[in-house]
Amino acid sequence: MTTAFEAATAARRIGDGRYAVEIDPTWSVNGIANGGYLLATILRAALADTPHPHPVATSAHFLARPYNGPAEVLVQTLRSGRSVTALRATLVQRDEPRVETLITAATLDPGAEPDWIGVAPAEVAPVDQCVAAGVELPDGTRIPLFEHVDLRLDPATVGWFAGHPAGVLEMRGHVRLTSGDESDPLVLPLAVDALPPTVFGLGMLGWAPTIELTCHVRALPAPGWLVCHLRGRLLQDGWFDEEAEVYDSRGRLVAQSRQLARVNVARKPPRS
Amino acid sequence: MTTAFEAATAARRIGDGRYAVEIDPTWSVNGIANGGYLLATILRAALADTPHPHPVATSAHFLARPYNGPAEVLVQTLRSGRSVTALRATLVQRDEPRVETLITAATLDPGAEPDWIGVAPAEVAPVDQCVAAGVELPDGTRIPLFEHVDLRLDPATVGWFAGHPAGVLEMRGHVRLTSGDESDPLVLPLAVDALPPTVFGLGMLGWAPTIELTCHVRALPAPGWLVCHLRGRLLQDGWFDEEAEVYDSRGRLVAQSRQLARVNVARKPPRS
């Protein structure tokens, strides 16, 4: 049985290293495909014919805004090793590269336990104390993505919604697919980019395009909610970084990412 | 005047998008070129003929061990925009790709000040209380790199050298070019990978090959020492991550990186 997530990210082989995909208009924010959804779609194509199923490192540079509708993913194997496969995969529309990725895939051990792990970040409020993300923002932005992705935001990081931003580059919440599909590792690149941009925490509501995003899949997620911690270190000169850590329902660190993004609205002083 | 760093990373245009470089055997660890040195060399070629001088995001996947000696860097422009240029650059030797990179370059404002910055990590001990990195490790590994890179390690993170690892994925120190060359932004990709691997902090001395490394250049460094903070979150299944933050002598965050690396030695219990 094909899940809704698998259907929306499906890739059909149409030639040597060429895959047809369809950018689904409903996995979008304000009409533009979500970056994590694009990554999952590219990965579905790139990993279709490789011996290593898990994208341990995926680096994506976002070149041009993709359109909704048909696209091609061009895949080239850069290294074919015993323990890893390295690939280049490009999302192309109208003869133009839209997203360029480098992927290193391996086979993770489902039973692996940490040899060492650092101190976990601040706890996220329990799901039942969190705020369900709606499909419309205060400024009218439509987010049909949240019909597919069930996102519950920690109340400590949603003050911006009511005009009282917390004043820090932080966003925390719980994520799962609304359809209940679980345990697909490609949910992880979706999860790292599913929360509102951390600059919302500074009251900077508006479009914050990702320039580069690298996602590391560290373990295979257990079924259930994923817990997402996002924080940034620096906003300067219109650039900000955003780090995500994703834990599964067993409390295991399953994914990490960092992105560099642009923000084009000015920082407003907090309301008193 | 050409500095020693510029000479070791020099790129000569030999065709359309083709640059000749020379992998200098003295910028190496145990005979193998340092990853940060390779990045700087690739960037020197990739940025030679682009209007945007600063590599704000560089993602590198390390495919095969490079040899010392001649190499080519193949550069392709993926996007040529007003504010950014995106490039693909591949280090090739003997017809095989060795390092594949995606680069987004922009023009940073030298006078930019933070609009927001998070809490700085733990302080690094002052330079005069740090330990100068030698060119030979306890196991006989030769590190000629440290003839070019003056590295002073925080005593709190060098216990492994004497058989008493601190038991955490951390490494901290001060870095500058021995020759005194300063203010070249390509020193930053070198700095993020110049310290010993954080797994040394767990007593796991040995080769820890980088699989993927992404470096963000956030600001142009002031002259003087760079302060480097490295930490990892998770060692599992032979994979570990390593995050670097680099500050300049004015205390400004100038670079960030994260890498995913392999480690092939077992974790030893700490000596009592």
Side-chain angles (χ1 to χ4, degrees):
Chain A
M1 214 190 78
T2 303
T3 68
F5 178 56
E6 283 168 351
T9 55
R12 185 168 49 86
R13 193 174 184 281
I14 53 172
D16 201 21
R18 288 176 57 213
Y19 298 82
V21 298
E22 186 80 20
I23 305 305
D24 186 320
T26 68
W27 289 72
S28 64
V29 175
N30 214 16
I32 300 161
N34 168 256
Y37 162 70
L38 291 173
L39 276 196
T41 304
I42 293 168
L43 284 164
R44 198 75 78 189
L47 300 174
D49 297 298
T50 54
H52 295 104
H54 305 133
V56 292
T58 304
S59 309
H61 287 235
F62 293 82
L63 308 172
R65 192 171 289 192
Y67 299 91
N68 297 319
E72 273 190 34
V73 179
L74 307 182
V75 180
Q76 189 178 334
T77 301
L78 300 171
R79 173 190 177 184
S80 192
R82 190 181 53 80
S83 58
V84 299
T85 300
L87 306 149
R88 175 200 296 155
T90 313
L91 182 83
V92 177
Q93 283 176 320
R94 306 185 190 174
D95 294 327
E96 258 192 64
R98 306 280 164 172
V99 184
E100 176 93 359
T101 66
L102 298 177
I103 301 157
T104 295
T107 303
L108 293 171
D109 173 3
E113 294 293 336
D115 288 305
W116 186 88
I117 184 161
V119 179
E123 289 224 352
V124 178
V127 175
D128 60 8
Q129 292 169 29
C130 283
V131 180
V135 297
E136 194 166 313
L137 283 189
D139 67 357
T141 303
R142 292 275 309 161
I143 314 181
L145 176 70
F146 293 147
E147 290 166 10
H148 299 296
V149 174
D150 189 354
L151 169 63
R152 312 292 177 94
L153 287 166
D154 189 319
T157 63
V158 294
W160 52 270
F161 193 86
H164 299 285
V168 288
L169 286 175
E170 278 182 20
M171 205 62 67
R172 294 191 290 275
H174 303 262
V175 164
R176 68 176 177 191
L177 293 173
T178 307
S179 63
D181 308 333
E182 283 169 342
S183 306
D184 179 345
L186 295 195
V187 167
L188 298 175
L190 179 71
V192 298
D193 196 42
L195 276 65
T198 50
V199 283
F200 282 20
L202 299 180
M204 302 169 80
L205 309 187
W207 192 243
T210 302
I211 302 301
E212 186 273 339
L213 187 154
T214 295
C215 177
H216 293 157
V217 170
R218 304 302 305 274
L220 304 179
W225 287 99
L226 297 169
V227 182
C228 302
H229 301 251
L230 268 63
R231 54 148 229 167
R233 285 288 301 141
L234 176 66
L235 166 67
Q236 182 168 289
D237 206 5
W239 299 93
F240 71 101
D241 60 295
E242 184 169 296
E243 284 78 58
E245 289 190 9
V246 181
Y247 293 79
D248 72 3
S249 57
R250 289 179 49 210
R252 295 152 69 241
L253 179 60
V254 288
Q256 294 170 288
S257 74
R258 177 177 284 151
Q259 62 174 276
L260 187 68
R262 291 288 295 170
V263 60
N264 299 314
V265 292
R267 183 174 177 193
K268 288 178 214 159
R271 284 193 209 169
S272 57
Chain B
M1 213 190 80
T2 303
T3 68
F5 179 57
E6 284 168 349
T9 55
R12 187 168 49 87
R13 192 172 184 281
I14 53 173
D16 200 22
R18 289 177 55 213
Y19 297 82
V21 297
E22 186 82 19
I23 306 304
D24 186 320
T26 68
W27 289 72
S28 65
V29 176
N30 214 16
I32 300 161
N34 168 257
Y37 163 69
L38 290 173
L39 276 196
T41 303
I42 293 169
L43 285 165
R44 198 74 78 187
L47 300 174
D49 297 299
T50 53
H52 296 105
H54 305 132
V56 292
T58 304
S59 308
H61 288 236
F62 293 82
L63 308 171
R65 192 170 286 191
Y67 299 91
N68 297 319
E72 273 191 33
V73 179
L74 306 183
V75 180
Q76 189 178 334
T77 301
L78 300 171
R79 174 191 177 185
S80 191
R82 189 181 52 80
S83 58
V84 299
T85 300
L87 307 149
R88 176 200 296 155
T90 313
L91 182 83
V92 177
Q93 283 175 318
R94 305 184 193 176
D95 294 328
E96 258 193 64
R98 306 281 164 172
V99 184
E100 175 93 359
T101 66
L102 297 178
I103 301 157
T104 295
T107 304
L108 293 170
D109 173 2
E113 293 294 334
D115 288 306
W116 185 88
I117 184 160
V119 179
E123 290 224 352
V124 178
V127 174
D128 59 9
Q129 292 168 29
C130 283
V131 180
V135 297
E136 194 166 314
L137 283 188
D139 67 357
T141 302
R142 292 275 309 162
I143 314 181
L145 177 70
F146 292 147
E147 289 166 11
H148 299 296
V149 174
D150 189 354
L151 168 63
R152 312 293 177 91
L153 287 166
D154 189 319
T157 63
V158 295
W160 52 270
F161 192 87
H164 300 284
V168 287
L169 286 175
E170 278 182 20
M171 206 61 68
R172 293 191 291 274
H174 303 260
V175 164
R176 68 175 177 190
L177 293 173
T178 308
S179 62
D181 308 334
E182 284 167 343
S183 306
D184 180 345
L186 295 194
V187 168
L188 298 175
L190 177 71
V192 297
D193 196 42
L195 276 65
T198 50
V199 283
F200 283 19
L202 299 181
M204 301 169 79
L205 308 188
W207 192 241
T210 302
I211 302 300
E212 186 273 339
L213 187 154
T214 294
C215 177
H216 293 158
V217 170
R218 304 300 306 275
L220 304 179
W225 287 98
L226 296 169
V227 183
C228 301
H229 302 253
L230 268 63
R231 54 149 228 168
R233 286 289 300 141
L234 177 66
L235 166 68
Q236 182 168 289
D237 206 5
W239 298 94
F240 70 101
D241 60 294
E242 184 168 296
E243 283 79 58
E245 289 190 8
V246 181
Y247 293 79
D248 72 2
S249 58
R250 288 179 48 210
R252 295 153 69 238
L253 178 60
V254 288
Q256 294 169 286
S257 74
R258 176 177 284 150
Q259 63 174 276
L260 187 68
R262 292 287 295 169
V263 61
N264 300 314
V265 293
R267 183 175 177 192
K268 287 178 215 159
R271 284 191 209 169
S272 57

